[in-house]
Amino acid sequence: MKKGNKLWFNVIWFLAGSFTCYITLQYTFFEIDAKLNIPETLISIGTAIIGLYIANTIQKRLTKNQNQYTYVEGKLDAIWAGFNNFSQGVLYNDSIEVNVLSKYSKEAIHSIGFVKSILISYELNVTCVSELETELESFEAYLLSLPISANIISTIQSKSDVEGKIVSLNQCFAKVLKLIHNI
Amino acid sequence: MRTINIAQQFTLTPGARYYTDGPKSGQEFYDVLLKKSFIQSLEEGVKLKVILDGTDGYASSFLNEAFSLLGNEFGDDKVWNNLIIISEEVPKYIDKVKKSVYEKRK
């Protein structure tokens, strides 16, 4: 916008503002009463304090819930990301080392147990977390039931089964995430 | 009290169930270390402490094979009452060991 145009624009808005003020000041409720009404003033102050207290309490509760949500969601994200890496490795390779499976299981079992304890302390229904825990243990047991040689599990004959179990586990993770969203 | 520290005395990377699955299996652990130590602890009238911490983790089949063999050989209650399992890293392993001790093998 050019400089001249900007000046006219400001002048028009100034005049419009002045006109609005003039019109509104014609109403009596804008007139300032010099007398002090004690009961009304006290009621106003009381109402303002109660309002502030309610706003503060709600804000604190919201912040607390937000912190709990962020903490647990971060934990679940880490476990899910770990499972994703692990399952991708299982899918893309035709085999997996027993040691890699044991290492993943150790981390996953421990972390899910921790998330479960936190959710129990929030008094949430943790059925889906227990389900996820059981499914992960079943998945580990299933992989260990496949042919093993030199501590290497061969998954080549059971790709579609493995894939199906991974999809089911991802659905379990999604259920737990939904539960965390309810915090 | 006798002590077995699996990470120090057996391996940092335990294997699967049977000898045929590869080295450091549950079966091997039972034959090489667990059975002998348990017999010695019974003879000495002391408990056997098994420390599971310090390894990369255990396949459930490793723990199941080793401890179900022990439970079936010596009797579940006798084994469980003479064992102290230490697993601070993953306490759930203790439950797995207990279930294995009380598991009846076919």
Side-chain angles (χ1 to χ4, degrees):
Chain A
M1 195 182 279
K2 286 180 184 172
K3 201 176 177 183
N5 285 349
K6 201 175 180 181
L7 180 72
W8 277 113
F9 189 74
N10 288 337
V11 168
I12 287 165
W13 275 109
F14 173 75
L15 290 173
S18 303
F19 183 69
T20 309
C21 286
Y22 173 76
I23 295 295
T24 51
L25 285 171
Q26 301 311 303
Y27 292 95
T28 51
F29 60 80
F30 276 101
E31 284 173 10
I32 296 166
D33 190 358
K35 287 181 279 180
L36 185 63
N37 187 334
I38 299 292
E40 277 186 14
T41 308
L42 288 175
I43 289 168
S44 300
I45 292 168
T47 310
I49 289 169
I50 291 167
L52 279 171
Y53 173 74
I54 291 169
N56 187 39
T57 310
I58 290 171
Q59 185 58 45
K60 268 185 187 166
R61 187 173 296 175
L62 279 175
T63 310
K64 189 184 162 200
N65 287 351
Q66 187 64 37
N67 288 344
Q68 288 175 338
Y69 168 78
T70 311
Y71 182 69
V72 186
E73 199 206 22
K75 291 260 169 227
L76 185 74
D77 269 352
I79 304 169
W80 200 349
F83 175 72
N84 205 40
N85 293 340
F86 171 74
S87 58
Q88 294 298 309
V90 173
L91 283 177
Y92 292 135
N93 293 311
D94 294 332
S95 59
I96 180 170
E97 284 179 56
V98 171
N99 187 33
V100 172
L101 175 61
S102 307
K103 216 171 186 174
Y104 173 71
S105 296
K106 181 180 178 180
E107 284 168 15
I109 291 171
H110 183 65
S111 307
I112 288 173
F114 187 44
V115 167
K116 196 175 168 184
S117 309
I118 296 169
L119 293 176
I120 288 170
S121 73
Y122 295 166
E123 294 173 353
L124 290 169
N125 181 359
V126 292
T127 315
C128 61
V129 188
S130 303
E131 199 183 311
L132 174 63
E133 213 174 7
T134 312
E135 285 238 11
L136 273 171
E137 285 178 20
S138 306
F139 185 55
E140 188 241 15
Y142 168 74
L143 289 176
L144 287 165
S145 72
L146 298 176
I148 306 174
S149 175
N151 282 335
I152 292 171
I153 304 166
S154 169
T155 54
I156 195 161
Q157 302 290 332
S158 320
K159 278 274 174 199
S160 56
D161 278 355
V162 171
E163 212 165 327
K165 285 177 192 299
I166 289 170
V167 170
S168 164
L169 269 160
N170 275 318
Q171 286 168 346
C172 266
F173 271 109
K175 275 188 203 167
V176 179
L177 188 64
K178 214 172 169 182
L179 174 75
I180 292 171
H181 282 167
N182 292 334
I183 292 177
Chain B
M1 186 183 296
R2 294 193 78 80
T3 303
I4 296 176
N5 187 324
I6 299 182
Q8 288 173 7
Q9 294 171 259
F10 189 63
T11 181
L12 287 172
T13 54
R17 186 182 293 275
Y18 303 120
Y19 282 109
T20 49
D21 294 338
K24 303 297 176 186
S25 62
Q27 215 173 22
E28 185 182 338
F29 170 63
Y30 174 74
D31 287 338
V32 172
L33 206 57
L34 187 61
K35 186 180 178 182
K36 287 175 189 168
S37 301
F38 190 74
I39 291 170
Q40 284 169 343
S41 69
L42 285 182
E43 285 168 359
E44 291 165 13
V46 292
K47 289 197 177 197
L48 176 64
K49 181 159 89 176
V50 182
I51 301 171
L52 301 178
D53 294 328
T55 67
D56 281 353
Y58 295 91
S60 53
S61 56
F62 175 95
L63 293 174
N64 180 264
E65 184 64 20
F67 289 96
S68 66
L69 280 171
L70 194 70
N72 280 268
E73 173 103 27
F74 297 94
D76 44 24
D77 278 336
K78 189 177 178 183
V79 168
W80 188 245
N81 292 333
N82 283 288
L83 274 183
I84 295 174
I85 307 293
I86 305 292
S87 181
E88 287 176 8
E89 291 171 355
V90 184
K92 200 163 188 183
Y93 284 150
I94 300 172
D95 187 45
K96 284 177 187 276
V97 168
K98 187 174 183 182
K99 280 182 182 159
S100 301
V101 167
Y102 282 92
E103 185 184 289
K104 298 285 172 237
R105 292 175 71 93
K106 290 167 190 169

